[in-house]
Amino acid sequence: MTSKLPSIRTVANLAGVSTATVSNVLNARRSVAPELAARVRAAVAELGYIADVGASRLRSRKSAVAGVVVPDLANPFFGEFVAALEQAARQDGYELLIVSSGDDPAQEAARLRTLLTWRPAGLIVIPCRDMIAGLDAAHAARVPLIAADRFPEGPAMDVVAVDNRAAAADMARHLIAGGRRHILVAGASLGIGNIRERVEGIRAATRGAAEVELLEVGYTLADSRAHLAERLARGLPPDALFTLNNVATLGAIGAIAAAGLRVPDDLALVGFDDEEWMRAVSPPVSAVHQPVERLGQEAWGRLMARIGGDAAPPRQLRLPCTLELRDSSAPARRSADSTALGRWAQQTRKETLS
Amino acid sequence: MTSKLPSIRTVANLAGVSTATVSNVLNARRSVAPELAARVRAAVAELGYIADVGASRLRSRKSAVAGVVVPDLANPFFGEFVAALEQAARQDGYELLIVSSGDDPAQEAARLRTLLTWRPAGLIVIPCRDMIAGLDAAHAARVPLIAADRFPEGPAMDVVAVDNRAAAADMARHLIAGGRRHILVAGASLGIGNIRERVEGIRAATRGAAEVELLEVGYTLADSRAHLAERLARGLPPDALFTLNNVATLGAIGAIAAAGLRVPDDLALVGFDDEEWMRAVSPPVSAVHQPVERLGQEAWGRLMARIGGDAAPPRQLRLPCTLELRDSSAPARRSADSTALGRWAQQTRKETLS
DNA sequence: ATGAAAGCGCTAACAG
DNA sequence: CTGTTAGCGCTTTCAT
């Protein structure tokens, strides 16, 4: 009952040919007499034979498999990235091994090791921190590795990312043009290079034109909302809030509502990372739109080049983002004391008197 | 320069032991003298040796790999599902091969075939239609297969899904309790079993209490919005809109705005599939919340049981959903002619006169 | 154009 | 406890 699956030998026997001929028919390697080929194909169909790639790879020493590591598959940004990669890979006849690191460097290293176990032809990694732990292992295994979305520190490597600095600066200039002077900038963690670049862009664009206040809000929605709500509940309210990732933007909406502030009159809200729902909320949220699909395509393209033997020095690619300007960052209709700042000043005055 | 990667033989030579001993140390199969084990580990470290699972699987005939097929990795629902699966799999020491079918049955069959090529110990599939094409191939390869989220037709098999009927009925009753009498039900395609079940639940709950109108809106956001906008622009406006998947819900918000209708006064909006942003839009959207994480865990649990040799008859699991009731389905504050229905009647009267 | 035989890297079975 | 040997399923010489 538990007879083994048909192997290439089973097929060869049934077709009355050698295993080599079966292999040649299936892989179209050497030419085979039409009649034999037909017999082989009939045997394959009858047995429901499916070749074992493991064995095939072992012998032929070629792969057509690439590994992918992303921080979190439940995050739509990474989901879209992986979807784009998968499509590109399939067009080149490659299979993808997709794993997630759970935003944990230790996991990242562990997953990378596991991937190497499969002898992939290459790796694409979205690092969860500013380093790729286990990079040495990939190097030792002589597997080309492309970093995507984030710039890892250390030795130069191929990176495909987005021009965070320019995009953030553009958005900051848009806020200033709208009359905003005190921008609260909220990111998951200011330790991530990506976030740092965005902050740098904002600082460069606002120098002398607006005050920038930084806030770390953590990786989860709950944390983002809590940190922002706490900040908005005390102290001088900003007249603009720039969230540096999609989760923080969602958290900001909740926190702003909890604080009783109005968008865009009390403060403008803009985010890095554009998602469909941002058009549906009210008011619609302005956002920096990243070319996720192209990010995937370009990363795959680089990897294919490396697999193909390209030995040029590592190249860093920066893709431009676009600004999706919507109502949340429209200029405020200011009237003295009707803004949040005005109300805050009034309240503070009262508190000082009492 | 292009010397081969270290193999188990390289390690054995360096450590001065046999390959069997290296294998035993690395897999903790048979006990090995501490001193030899130490030598082996030193050699492994020195060489940066990483075992080749392909070869190991080939010889040992055991896998610890499962294949996963989902319709679209960019859809957060499937992303969360896969993330849950991955976590469960890792706890059992399994690796996942994740592929997507692009909502195309032909692709689904092709991807399934490719997965079988890897000799997985099992498969978890979210079918994109009411059949799993290539099911026979999996059966022939004697690979246990668990269907998730959707109920494929044909021979009975293990399925882990959600109780669509009950959840949709609960939500429909909520609408009726709120005074709604004309429910427009919008789903991607009424051909999907999942959607049919939800429609059945709604019909059962509304029988005699409210009118139900069905609308197919397609799979993409743009299509959903267009179809809904077109429907809302003509004919008798419904007093409730029940969207049957997350994409349609987002499309509905746009369509409702375009039609100039107010939620919940003109019509209530409720959706199947809950997402974080639904709490952030205004008004917040009521939704059926599916236990995605449990869906993944249960699917994995069934697969592990089957891999473990469980030969019990196929089991179909139905997980309960929860209703997240928010403002979009609050009872309408009705006043004659101020509702959309009233305005429509007025306008119709005028048109009839002219 | 075809077949026989060797061997990819590993583990299982068998000796010792 | 350790080493030797055979062989997993496939592709690739090398003969024919």
Side-chain angles (χ1 to χ4, degrees), chain B residues 7-8 23 27 29-30 49 52 59:
Chain B
S7 78
I8 196 171
S23 174
N27 304 311
R29 283 200 112 48
R30 295 192 311 194
Y49 170 69
D52 181 327
R59 175 63 236 230

Side-chain angles (χ1 to χ4, degrees), chain A residues 18 21 30-33 36 59 61:
Chain A
S18 73
T21 300
R30 295 192 311 195
S31 68
V32 173
L36 283 199
R59 177 63 237 238
R61 317 182 127 286

